[in-house]
Each structure stands twice: as structure tokens, then as C-alpha cells.
């Protein structure tokens, strides 16, 4: 089964997010190993996008999408199982210590 948003096919979760936001996720989160120059250019581009009236609702859209994802996956996100705690009971000897 193929899923399309507009005329774009969404294959992965990243595709859905990118199509929902209208920008690539990497623009906002960065990529591993980016240089300082690349980071500065990425942040400048992000500021330009946020200044564009077409993207004025982007922060609200991101908050809405994040809330929907958390709500949809809350059982898995908050299914916390306490693990048995191993206590290290090492005894310290004062034998041989300088007095």
C-alpha cells in the first residue's frame, strides 16, 4: 500500500514529518558530524524560514505533531518497568592504613 501526501509519496516516518512540516527535519535538528560552518549556515536558513510569513505557524505545527506522536505512543513511552537493583556491598578494610 502506498501513502501519498499531496503529490509526494511518504515511505518512512521521516517522510511523513518532512511533508507535514514542509521542511527537512535535519534543518532543525542538525546532522551528526556537521562542522561549525555548516551549523551556522543551517541555523541561518532556519531563521530565514521562520521569518517567512508562510511558515509563521511552524512552531505551533511542530508542537501539535509532537503532542500527537506522544499521545499515540504513550503506552510504549511510559511503560516503565523497574529493574532489580544490584547493590555493590564491597567492604573496605582499614587494615594497613596509615594512622
Amino acid at each position: 500500500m502506498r501513502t501519498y501526501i499531496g503529490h509526494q509519496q511518504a515511505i518512512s516516518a521521516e517522510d511523513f514529518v518532512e511533508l507535514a512540516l514542509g521542511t527537512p527535519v535535519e534543518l532543525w535538528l542538525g546532522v551528526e558530524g556537521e562542522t561549525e560552518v555548516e551549523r551556522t549556515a543551517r541555523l541561518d536558513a532556519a531563521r530565514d524560514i521562520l521569518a517567512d510569513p508562510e511558515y509563521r505557524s511552524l512552531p505551533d505545527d511542530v508542537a501539535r505533531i509532537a503532542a500527537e506522536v506522544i499521545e499515540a505512543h504513550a503506552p510504549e513511552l511510559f511503560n516503565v518497568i523497574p529493574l532489580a537493583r544490584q547493590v555493590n556491598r564491597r567492604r573496605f578494610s582499614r587494615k594497613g592504613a596509615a594512622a
Side-chain angles (χ1 to χ4, degrees):
M1 182 172 122
R2 295 182 182 174
T3 304
Y4 289 87
I5 297 177
H7 297 293
Q8 299 288 326
Q9 182 179 3
I11 298 173
S12 65
E14 291 80 18
D15 289 344
F16 279 103
V17 172
E18 184 173 332
L19 291 169
L21 296 175
T23 61
V25 175
E26 293 82 12
L27 176 68
W28 309 104
L29 301 180
V31 293
E32 188 175 332
E34 72 182 355
T35 66
E36 190 60 34
V37 171
E38 291 169 330
R39 181 178 187 276
T40 301
R42 177 179 58 77
L43 293 176
D44 285 344
R47 279 187 209 88
D48 290 345
I49 288 172
L50 289 174
D52 186 332
E54 180 181 343
Y55 289 96
R56 187 168 286 142
S57 67
L58 186 61
D60 293 332
D61 294 341
V62 170
R64 180 183 46 76
I65 291 168
E68 289 173 0
V69 169
I70 290 169
E71 182 179 24
H73 297 284
E76 296 91 24
L77 290 173
F78 300 111
N79 186 14
V80 179
I81 300 170
L83 300 174
R85 187 173 154 204
Q86 181 180 1
V87 178
N88 188 1
R89 297 179 188 247
R90 190 184 316 176
R91 294 184 184 200
F92 293 97
S93 171
R94 294 185 180 222
K95 192 176 186 180

